[in-house]
Structure formats: C-alpha cells, structure tokens
C-alpha cells in the first residue's frame, strides 16, 4: 500500500499538470489569449452551436434530379444520333433509371445497338428482338453519380458560404445523399439558407418569337421551347410575366469566369465575363441574331430578356433586372461560386441565438458550481479528513475533464454541461466505495494500514466493473447520437475515464502521502 | 484529525428479502402499466421525432400569449401551441409538421417571422422535416438496445450469465418505467430524453454491478449460507455506499434541475427519476431475482478459486 513507485508518482503528477495546463486557457477570454505569447497553450473548449449560437442545417441532395437530368441528356443525344443515322424509333423517354425506346424496323437492331453503345458510354444497353431497347444506369453508376453530386455540392456550398465571411463553417457529407452544414455565430441563417437553397443554374437562351405566350399556353408550344415565368413577382405573388424560351442553350453559366455587382445608371446590376469558349459562342450567337430577344434564365426563371442591339464580342456583359444591392450581390456571388448539380432541401434546421447560448452557459456553470459545492461539503461531513482528500481528487477531476475536452477539441454542448454535473456526482462513487470498504475493514478489526490496503484493493475491481459498463453505454450514445446528444456522451465518457483515474490513483496517492506523515494509530473514517 | 458521520450503521441487518415478493409484483405491475400507458396514451413526442417547428422568442415586454395565439392561429399553419418558457418574456412557439414536405417547413417559419415581426428576438429555431424524424426514432431505439446488449455482454463476460441476465432485466425495468413516467406525466420525449434514458440505464447498471460484485464475493466466502441470506447481507454491507452515492448524485442533478436553465430541466427531472428507480431496482429487483437463478451452479466454479472459508457469523480474520 505504502510503496508507491516513484515513476508512478511522477506519472500521476505529470498527468495532473498536463490537465491543469490544458484547462487553463478556458479561464481567459479569446482576446486575452490572443495577447499572450505564442508558446502558451491556447486551445479552449469548443462550444457547441447551442452554447455559442449558430445554425445547424441538414441538407438533402435531390439525387433523383441528378439522375433525371443525366438521363434526359442521354435522350437528347440518342435522338440526335438516330436522326443522323436515319433509324426510325418511337416512345423515346426516361423510365426510372433507364432510357427506353422502340425501334420501328427490326432489321436495324445491330446498327441501333452500336449507336446506343456509342451515344452513352457506361450504360447497360439492351436491345431485344421485338425492337424494344433500353439504356440502363446500373447501381454502380448511380452510386458514383450520387457521390459526385454530393462532393460537388459540398464544394459549391463551401465557396458560397466562404464568400459570406462566415467564420469556421463545418460542411460535411452525411450518409449517401446528405450534407451537414454548421455555421457558428451566424445571426441571419435565413440569408445563408436562401443562398444555399438556390441551384443557380444560369443559361442564356433565345426567346422563341414564333409563338406568343397565349398561343403557347393554348397548346401551340413547339417541342423545342418551353414557357418560363419571370423572376420578378407582381404585387399578387404571381410572376410578372411569362416568356416562351427555346430549350437549346446558347451559353451556360459554366462558361462564366467572373461576376460582380456594379451600378449602371444608379441601378444595381450584375456584370459578368465569359471564358474564351463562352465569349466565342456568345459573340457568334449575338452577331447572327441582332434585333432578337435573348433570355437570361436562372433556375427556370427569366431574370431579364433584353434585345440584342449588336454583336457582343468582348465576352462580357451586364444583367439588369430589378435588383436591390443585396440581390445583385447575392446573384453575383452565386454565379461566381457556380451551380449546384442538384437542388438542395433543408430537412433539419436548428438555430440558436448567441444571447440564448450565453444564458445557457451561465446557467450551466452556476448549476455545476452549486452541485460541486454541495458535494464537497457533503463529503467532508460524511468522511471527515478522507472527505477532504476525495474533494481534492474531485476538483482535480473536474479540471482534468475540462483539460481533456480542451486538448482533444471535443465540443461542449448544453446537455454536455448536464453530463459534467452528473459526472461530478458519480465520480464521487469510487471514493465512497473505497471509504466504505475501509470502514468495513476497520470494523472487522484490521490495522489501519491493512484496512487501507484492503479498502483500496477490494474496491478497485468493483470500481472498474461498474465504470466499464457505464463507459459502454456512453460510447454507444456517442456512436449513435447526433448533435447535442453526442456532446453529452463525450463529456460522460471522458468523465468516467478521468474520474476512474483521480479517484483510484490520485486519492490513493494523497492518502499514502498523508499516512506516511501522520502514521495514525486509528483511521479517521 | 477528524472522522465523518456514519449515515448508515455498519451493522445494519435489514431483511430486504422478506419484502421482495410484494415489491417484485409491484415492479411487474409498474412495467405492465408503463407498457399499457405507452401503447394507449402514447408519448408526447418532441419535434425531434414527429417533425415540426419549434421557435423560442423573447418579447420586449411580458408576452401577450392570447394576442400571439390569435394572430398565429390565423396563419393557417394548423394548431399553434404557445408556452411560457422561464421568464414571462420568453415564449415557446410550436407548430406541427406542415403538409407539403421539407420545403413547406421553412416557408412556415418565414410566415411566423413575418407575422411576429422584428420586435421579438428569435432565440432559437428548430425545424425537423418529415424524413429525419422517423429516422431519429429508429436510431434511438437501436442505440438503446445496443447499449443494453453491450452491457449484458460485459457482465456476462465478467460474472456469470445469471448476473448478466438479471442486470439486463432490471435495466429494462428501469428503462420501461422511465418511458412510462414520460407518458404518464406527458413530458416531452425527444432526443435529450433518449440520452436521459440511456444515462439512466448506465447509472442503473453501475449501481447493480456494485452489489453483484459483493454478492459474488460473499458467495465465495460463505459457502454454507443460503443464497437469500447472502443477498441480504450484501445489500446491507453496501447500503452505506448506495445511500451516499445516490444521495450525492441526486444533489448534483437537482442543482441542474433548479439552476441549470429551462432547457435542461426536463432532462434533469428524467435523471432524478432514473436515479431513484435505478437504486430501487438494484435492491429490490436485480438482487432478489438472483435467488431464482441457480447460483449454486456458480458455486462449483467459484470454489475452484482459492476462497477464504469462514462461517457466516465470524468476522473475517485480519491478515
């Protein structure tokens, strides 16, 4: 009992020191820390969004839209290829994850098969003898497209959020088709949600002048055109106007290299610049179509439809619509950042104001402190001098827990604070087990030293068994929990570990040091 | 030099086993009642599970709940529930999940914000869409079951299957009656509640293991003693520890319930109940049930280990 190996003592003291040093930065404010020399530890406990304020958004990528768009592209290329090769077909369209069609002439099966293979590499081609044919995306290809769409979305979201100047956002993939976005300290999540929620697919296309909107609505719409609403709303919430616009894209947003909000005639506008390919296409198209209207389409809505006055060869231009400075800035930002491969939906949102977070911390700190004081007093009342030893270990435990949380960058959440309070209560259990065991041994008539020895040794096994079961449930809570619950599990898991360390080793060390000095004839328990 | 007070005398001999039968029946009834309650009355699911919208707003003066209810009810967003939350200025606004999928939820939030205007401070907004809610329920059930299996496996590994089985039965007892309490009191059941339930499970097993540890010890030490006496003796010997630990843990959780702020109150109340039921079940469910398990079978194994032989009454010899 008494011979604590020196290396063991130094290890315990060293661990405590590291814990104290790691916990220290939390006593200071960020500004005070920044002013200190760099060799000092500055890592503070990371506060969860519920404590520092901010937004947690769970977004879902519309994978079906990605697949549909891809398959519609396949339909277009099949149509073009068959037309060129003069092969008759009917019922060409998308069915689920396949493109299907029916060949008119069954003698052309082989030619059709070859053509289909060439027009969409990577798809499974099947052509049966009765002339029905299909191109199917297999599961592997679907998975790959999902992965790409999510990865690309994450990249675009990151660019958009970075432009807003949000500090330290977290943008992560979750599952197969979800993206978790965490924005600490954001005051206006609605704005960011609006930015993320836009696909921002921009196209420049011609207005179809062959039919009027009314004719088109009456069913006279050519298959190569579509009716699109204008982006501006009239007073009644309905679009201000409708346009008949060709489906064929003259130039797309992918060819943009820059977009900025500027002013023209004191009106906010968005100026843009094309890359060389875009500039050439735009130049050619405008030169051949002077006097016609073209439409600037964003996410299926017409922003503006100006007349082409003369050829625009410079590769740059401006978009005017009835913008405010804010909407012009946002549009420029979206164009710069690029289009999302698919629409995103917010399926979960949790936003906490910074004030509420600060209130929660204050209340949590106060409650933990009250709990700590109550336990400290109770332990002295119940166990006298040994209670004091346990209290020292308990306070060290709290410091160690805070140090561990700081050092490992774990996130403290609101339930995490409850976890700390609970840990403090339970941490004392190990010492209670030891002390009660010592009392028992004393009653059984053992000598002080034998009582201590037995008390610590017998209790240790119980402590480990009891805590391991607790650790198991905390770890499972950690693995499966999300958000605040995870934070609770983190503090609980670390709490179990640090309390095992302090109550078994630190208390024992203190008791040994005391015993060596005091050599009591009877134990004060 | 000073010692402490002894809350429980070291030589208590309370006959816990004598009253175990009626209490066991009571426990079975409690479990059955909980199951019936959850099946019929159900749980007051929070938005984590059933989806929906929750907003915490702070008004500039004391909140005019009636007026707010009036204006918000006219938005056509379904039933609007308003609740005072802490101070008279703070109001929780709850809307049930809106028809029309995930996008409709955000639109509803905007409507509420447009209606209440900028004179109120939006302290918290939570929106859980229809898809997420269902997933979260399954994840929670899965987590609870996995935790129970993990704990059972550990106890089985460290002790004997009888102990593992009983510990799990007792934990199920605590978990089910806790959920029953949520149903009875109509407390909101959300992700934090699941965390509370799992914590209760952890606490309960922790408590049970301490007594089991002692029972196993005593079984080896006092080979002639009837099992029920051994259980009684073990509970008595650990009673001081049980009282102190449960008491102190209760104190710290009580501090959270009283001072930890509105958001943690429900959580803390669940934990208070859990500590009480966990302590009760260790003494009156997990331990007494051991006499129905063939612990004599364990004796064969235990006797292989070098155990001290002593009679029941004599104190162990000092080494």
């Amino acid at each position: 009992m008494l011979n604590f190996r020196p290396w063991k003592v130094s290890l315990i003291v060293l661990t405590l020191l590291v814990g104290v040093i790691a916990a220290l930065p939390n006593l200071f404010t960020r500004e005070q820390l920044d002013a200190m020399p760099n060799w000092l530890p500055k890592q503070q406990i990371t506060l969860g969004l519920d404590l520092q304020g901010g937004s947690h958004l769970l977004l879902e990528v519309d994978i079906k839209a990605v697949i549909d768009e891809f398959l519609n592209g396949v339909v277009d290329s099949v149509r073009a290829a068959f037309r060129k090769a003069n092969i008759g077909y009917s019922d060409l369209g998308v069915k689920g994850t396949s493109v299907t069609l029916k060949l008119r002439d069954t003698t052309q099966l082989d030619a059709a098969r070859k053509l289909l293979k060439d027009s969409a590499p990577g798809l499974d081609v099947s052509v049966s003898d009765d002339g029905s044919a299909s191109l199917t995306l297999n599961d592997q290809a679907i998975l790959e497209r999902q992965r790409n769409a999510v990865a690309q979305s994450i990249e675009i979201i990151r660019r958009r959020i970075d432009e807003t100047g949000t500090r330290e956002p977290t943008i992560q993939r979750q599952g197969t088709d979800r993206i978790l976005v965490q924005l600490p300290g954001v005051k206006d999540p609605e704005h960011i949600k609006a930015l993320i929620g836009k696909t921002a697919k921009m196209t420049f296309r011609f207005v179809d002048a062959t039919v009027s909107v009314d004719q088109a609505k009456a069913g006279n719409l050519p298959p190569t055109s579509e009716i699109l609403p204008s982006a501006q709303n009239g007073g009644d919430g309905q679009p201000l106007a409708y346009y008949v616009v060709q489906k064929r894209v003259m130039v797309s947003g992918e060819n943009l290299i820059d977009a900025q909000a500027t002013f023209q005639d004191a009106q906010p506008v968005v100026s843009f610049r094309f890359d060389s390919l875009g500039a050439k296409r735009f130049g050619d198209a405008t030169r051949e179509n002077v006097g016609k209207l073209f439409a600037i389409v964003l996410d299926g809505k017409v922003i503006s439809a100006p007349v082409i006055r003369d050829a625009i060869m410079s590769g740059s231009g401006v978009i005017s619509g009835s913008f405010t400075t804010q909407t012009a800035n946002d549009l420029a930002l979206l164009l710069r950042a690029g289009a999302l491969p698919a629409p995103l939906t917010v399926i979960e949102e949790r936003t906490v104001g910074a004030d509420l977070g600060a209130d929660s911390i204050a209340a949590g700190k106060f409650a933990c402190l009250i709990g700590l004081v109550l336990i400290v007093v109770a332990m002295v009342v119940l166990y006298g001098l040994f209670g004091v030893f346990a209290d020292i270990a308990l306070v060290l435990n709290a410091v160690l827990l805070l140090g561990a949380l700081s050092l490992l960058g774990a996130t403290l959440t609101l339930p995490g604070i409850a976890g700390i309070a609970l840990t403090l209560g339970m941490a004392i259990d190990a010492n209670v087990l030891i002390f009660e065991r010592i009392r028992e041994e004393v009653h059984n008539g053992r000598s002080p030293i034998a009582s201590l020895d037995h008390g610590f040794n017998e209790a240790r096994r119980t402590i480990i068994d009891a805590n391991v079961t607790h650790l198991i449930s905390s770890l499972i809570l950690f693995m499966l929990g999300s958000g605040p619950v995870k934070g609770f599990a983190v503090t609980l898991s670390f709490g179990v570990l640090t309390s095992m360390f302090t109550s078994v080793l630190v208390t024992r060390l203190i008791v040994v040091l005391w015993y060596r000095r005091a050599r009591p004839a009877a134990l004060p328990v | 030099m000073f010692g402490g007070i002894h809350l429980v005398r070291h030589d208590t001999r309370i006959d816990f086993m004598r009253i175990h039968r009626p209490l066991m029946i009571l426990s079975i009834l409690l479990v059955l009642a909980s199951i019936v309650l959850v099946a019929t009355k159900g749980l007051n699911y929070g938005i984590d599970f059933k989806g929906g919208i929750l907003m915490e707003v702070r008004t500039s003066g004391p909140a005019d709940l009636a007026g707010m209810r009036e204006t918000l009810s006219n938005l056509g967003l379904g039933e609007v529930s308003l609740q005072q939350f802490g101070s008279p200025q703070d109001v929780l606004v709850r809307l049930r999940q809106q028809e029309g999928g995930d996008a409709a939820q955000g639109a509803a939030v905007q409507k509420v914000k447009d209606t209440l205007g900028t004179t109120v401070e939006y302290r918290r907004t939570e929106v859980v869409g229809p898809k997420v809610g269902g997933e979260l329920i399954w994840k929670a059930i899965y987590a609870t079951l996995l935790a129970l299996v993990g704990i059972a496996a550990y106890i089985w590994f460290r002790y004997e299957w009888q102990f593992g089985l009983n510990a799990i039965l007792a934990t199920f007892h605590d978990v089910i009656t806790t959920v029953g309490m949520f149903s009875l009191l109509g407390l909101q059941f959300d992700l934090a509640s699941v965390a509370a339930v799992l914590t209760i499970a952890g606490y309960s097993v922790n408590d049970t293991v301490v007594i089991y540890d002692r029972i196993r010890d005593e079984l080896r030490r006092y080979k002639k003693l009837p099992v029920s006496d051994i259980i009684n003796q073990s509970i008595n010997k650990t009673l001081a520890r049980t009282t102190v630990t449960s008491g102190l843990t209760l104190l710290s959780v009580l501090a959270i319930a009283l001072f930890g702020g509105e958001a943690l109150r429900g959580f803390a109340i669940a934990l208070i109940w859990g500590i009480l039921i966990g302590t009760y079940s260790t003494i009156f469910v997990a331990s007494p049930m051991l006499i129905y398990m063939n612990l004599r079978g364990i004796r064969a194994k235990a006797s292989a280990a070098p155990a001290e032989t002593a009679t029941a009454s004599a104190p162990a010899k000092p080494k």
Side-chain angles (χ1 to χ4, degrees), chain A residues 58 60 178 189-190 193 345-357 359-360 362-364 366-368 370-372 374-375 378-386 388 414-419 421-426 428-430 432-433 436-437 439-440 443-447 450 454 458-459 461-470 472-473 476-477 479-482 484-485 488 492 514 518 520 522 524-525, chain B residues 1-8 10 47-48 56 58 85 102-103 105-106 109-110 113 121-132 135-136 139 142-144 146-148 150-151 154-155 158-159 191-192 194-196 198-199 201-203 205-207 209-211 213-214 216-218 220-221 237-238 240-242 244-245 248-249 251-253 255-257 259-261 263-264 267 271 275 308 315-319:
Chain A
L58 190 59
E60 192 168 61
R178 301 213 173 138
E190 296 304 321
K193 253 165 64 185
T345 326
V346 178
I347 55 173
E348 189 187 345
E349 180 198 344
R350 291 169 201 269
T351 299
V352 171
D355 291 346
L356 178 61
D359 288 358
S360 300
F366 185 64
C368 280
I370 298 267
L372 189 64
L374 284 175
I375 293 170
M379 282 305 279
V380 176
V381 171
L382 288 170
Y383 297 106
L385 183 64
F386 276 46
V388 176
L414 188 56
I417 293 182
L422 187 71
T423 306
L424 293 179
M426 296 195 60
I428 219 67
D429 182 47
V432 172
L433 274 166
E436 290 297 336
R437 199 77 200 212
R439 277 184 178 175
E440 236 178 276
H443 286 300
N444 287 346
R446 288 190 205 258
S447 69
H454 261 76
E458 297 282 311
R461 193 191 55 230
T462 315
I463 293 168
I464 290 173
D465 278 346
N467 280 306
V468 168
T469 52
H470 208 157
I472 290 174
S473 58
I476 286 168
L477 204 54
M479 286 190 297
L480 295 173
S482 61
V485 174
F488 175 71
L492 212 56
W514 162 80
V525 288
Chain B
M1 202 116 328
F2 57 106
I5 58 164
H6 289 220
L7 219 53
V8 177
H10 78 277
I47 67 162
D48 288 341
E56 190 184 330
R58 171 168 284 179
F85 191 70
D102 290 307
Q105 317 300 322
V109 169
Q110 202 50 51
K113 286 194 173 175
E121 179 195 336
Y122 297 93
R123 285 164 70 81
R124 180 156 63 114
T125 308
E126 297 196 3
V127 180
V128 178
K131 259 184 227 158
V132 179
E135 286 169 24
L136 289 178
K139 227 171 147 184
Y142 181 55
T144 312
L146 202 64
L148 291 175
I151 291 166
Y154 179 79
I155 298 180
R158 287 283 293 153
Y159 296 76
L191 274 182
V194 173
L198 278 175
T199 310
Y203 181 87
V205 176
N206 186 308
D207 204 50
V209 165
V210 171
I211 295 189
D213 206 62
R214 185 57 76 101
R216 190 176 54 171
D217 255 21
E218 305 274 301
R220 286 178 185 170
R221 191 167 295 170
K237 280 186 175 171
T238 49
R241 172 266 162 192
T242 305
V244 173
T245 296
L248 290 184
T249 314
L251 273 186
S252 59
V253 178
I256 280 283
F259 308 110
L264 285 178
F267 188 71
L271 290 184
I275 292 166
E308 266 182 77
K317 273 180 292 179
K319 256 187 192 163

Side-chain angles (χ1 to χ4, degrees), chain A residues 385-415:
Chain A
L385 183 64
F386 276 46
V388 176
F389 296 159
D391 284 342
I392 296 172
L394 182 67
V395 172
L396 286 172
N397 176 35
V399 173
L400 218 54
L401 178 57
L402 293 181
L405 290 177
S406 315
L407 211 58
L408 298 168
T411 306
L412 184 66
T413 62
L414 188 56

Side-chain angles (χ1 to χ4, degrees), chain A residues 60-324:
Chain A
E60 192 168 61
V61 183
D62 191 348
I63 297 294
K64 205 181 158 299
V66 177
I67 306 277
D68 281 353
E69 194 185 308
F70 170 74
L71 291 176
N72 278 319
V74 172
V75 166
D76 286 344
S77 52
V78 167
R79 185 183 292 131
F82 275 41
R83 223 171 251 167
K84 208 169 166 191
N86 240 330
I87 299 179
Y89 62 90
S90 62
D91 299 335
L92 175 64
V94 177
K95 247 192 219 121
T97 54
S98 306
V99 170
T100 56
L101 66 153
K102 185 115 175 108
L103 297 169
R104 289 231 175 84
D105 183 358
T106 49
T107 59
Q108 290 175 309
L109 291 183
D110 284 334
R113 189 173 289 129
K114 186 174 178 314
L115 219 52
L116 287 174
K117 274 206 174 108
D118 292 344
S119 60
L123 269 70
D124 296 343
V125 175
S126 99
V127 178
S128 55
D129 291 339
D130 66 347
S132 56
S134 69
L135 285 159
T136 308
L137 262 179
N138 56 35
D139 293 347
Q140 186 70 36
I142 291 176
L143 219 63
E144 187 147 323
R145 268 165 211 290
Q146 274 189 2
R147 207 173 299 140
N148 288 341
V150 174
Q152 207 182 330
S153 301
I154 288 177
E155 180 55 34
I156 304 283
I157 293 172
R158 185 181 308 285
R159 276 194 236 154
R160 290 185 187 175
I161 291 177
D162 281 350
E163 293 238 19
T164 64
T166 303
R167 262 181 48 160
E168 296 172 38
T170 311
I171 303 163
Q172 283 173 338
R173 162 199 293 274
Q174 206 159 67
T176 52
D177 57 356
R178 301 213 173 138
I179 300 170
L180 175 69
V181 177
Q182 291 190 312
L183 309 162
V186 163
K187 288 220 178 64
D188 184 13
E190 296 304 321
H191 181 218
I192 290 193
K193 253 165 64 185
L195 280 182
I196 294 174
K198 292 223 170 65
T199 315
K201 196 159 274 174
M202 167 162 273
T203 50
F204 295 83
R205 311 188 222 166
F206 285 110
V207 172
D208 189 342
T210 58
V211 286
S212 72
V213 174
D214 290 336
Q215 282 172 326
K217 274 187 177 162
N220 237 336
L221 186 69
T224 52
S225 294
E226 57 186 336
I227 305 177
L228 295 179
S230 76
Q232 287 101 38
N233 281 342
D236 54 354
Q238 294 297 313
L240 205 58
Y242 287 92
Y243 300 86
V244 182
V245 179
Q246 289 185 0
K247 282 183 185 165
R248 198 172 66 86
V249 172
M250 175 172 45
V251 186
S252 85
E254 289 163 33
N255 296 109
L256 287 176
I257 42 176
D258 192 23
Q260 295 292 337
T262 50
F263 284 89
Q264 200 173 62
D265 304 331
Q267 276 293 312
V269 294
V270 177
S271 67
F272 60 87
R273 210 148 47 80
F274 285 119
D275 59 11
S276 55
L277 182 65
K280 186 177 176 320
R281 278 197 202 153
F282 197 65
D284 291 348
T286 49
R287 193 177 53 221
E288 290 158 17
N289 294 283
V290 172
K292 290 187 183 167
L293 292 174
F294 77 96
I296 301 169
V297 181
L298 183 75
D299 291 344
K301 288 179 180 167
V302 178
I303 294 182
S304 68
V307 181
I308 303 172
R309 295 205 191 93
D310 50 328
I312 302 168
M313 308 305 292
S314 62
S316 61
V318 294
I319 305 167
S320 57
S322 34
F323 293 123
T324 63

Side-chain angles (χ1 to χ4, degrees), chain B:
Chain B
M1 202 116 328
F2 57 106
I5 58 164
H6 289 220
L7 219 53
V8 177
R9 287 170 53 86
H10 78 277
D11 54 354
T12 49
R13 284 184 201 286
I14 303 169
D15 193 355
F16 290 101
M17 295 303 283
R18 204 168 55 85
I19 48 169
H20 88 270
R21 255 177 250 269
L23 285 177
M24 215 118 108
I25 292 169
L26 177 78
S27 279
I28 292 172
L29 288 178
L30 269 178
V31 169
L32 289 179
S34 298
I35 294 173
V36 170
L37 254 178
V38 174
T40 55
K41 188 179 176 222
L43 286 163
N44 175 15
Y45 287 113
I47 67 162
D48 288 341
F49 293 144
K50 71 172 183 213
I53 298 165
L54 179 148
M55 295 167 86
E56 190 184 330
V57 297
R58 171 168 284 179
T59 50
S60 45
D64 169 23
L65 284 183
M68 284 173 81
R69 187 168 291 127
E70 177 85 39
T71 46
L72 291 178
S73 307
N74 290 335
L75 291 179
L77 297 173
E79 192 194 325
V80 178
S81 112
L82 294 180
Q83 187 195 330
Q84 202 94 60
F85 191 70
S87 86
Q89 282 172 277
D90 293 325
V91 184
L92 266 191
V93 180
R94 281 203 196 87
L95 296 176
R96 68 153 170 261
Q97 189 170 299
Q98 302 296 307
E99 301 278 330
D102 290 307
Q105 317 300 322
V109 169
Q110 202 50 51
K111 255 188 179 171
V112 172
K113 286 194 173 175
D114 291 344
T115 309
L116 295 179
T118 48
T119 50
V120 299
E121 179 195 336
Y122 297 93
R123 285 164 70 81
R124 180 156 63 114
T125 308
E126 297 196 3
V127 180
V128 178
K131 259 184 227 158
V132 179
E135 286 169 24
L136 289 178
I137 292 190
W138 284 110
K139 227 171 147 184
I141 293 174
Y142 181 55
T144 312
L145 289 179
L146 202 64
L148 291 175
V149 169
I151 291 166
Y154 179 79
I155 298 180
W156 189 338
F157 170 72
R158 287 283 293 153
Y159 296 76
E160 306 295 334
W161 66 265
Q162 287 97 330
F163 287 98
L165 180 67
N166 274 358
I168 283 311
L169 286 178
T171 311
F172 260 117
H173 166 269
D174 298 349
V175 167
I176 292 171
T177 49
T178 304
V179 176
M181 180 210 56
F182 268 96
S183 175
L184 182 70
L185 300 182
L187 289 180
Q188 182 138 318
F189 196 79
D190 51 20
L191 274 182
S193 314
V194 173
V197 168
L198 278 175
T199 310
I200 289 166
Y203 181 87
S204 165
V205 176
N206 186 308
D207 204 50
T208 304
V209 165
V210 171
I211 295 189
Y212 277 7
D213 206 62
R214 185 57 76 101
I215 292 175
R216 190 176 54 171
D217 255 21
E218 305 274 301
L219 268 174
R220 286 178 185 170
R221 191 167 295 170
Y222 307 109
K223 300 202 161 174
K224 300 263 158 55
L225 215 57
V227 173
S228 85
D229 286 358
I230 286 193
I231 295 173
N232 241 334
Q233 195 169 305
S234 304
I235 298 175
N236 273 299
K237 280 186 175 171
T238 49
L239 195 59
R241 172 266 162 192
T242 305
T243 326
V244 173
T245 296
S246 300
L248 290 184
T249 314
L250 262 183
L251 273 186
S252 59
V253 178
L254 208 61
I256 280 283
L258 292 177
F259 308 110
E262 207 60 40
L264 285 178
R265 187 150 305 148
F267 188 71
I269 289 173
L271 290 184
I272 290 174
W273 162 267
I275 292 166
L276 294 176
I277 192 84
T279 309
Y280 159 83
S281 78
T282 300
I283 298 177
F284 294 108
V285 179
S287 304
M289 269 195 324
L290 281 175
I291 53 172
Y292 301 109
M293 308 279 151
N294 178 23
L295 289 190
R296 294 295 168 196
I298 298 174
R299 295 290 293 271
K301 236 182 187 177
S303 59
E308 266 182 77
T309 41
T311 53
S313 51
K317 273 180 292 179
K319 256 187 192 163

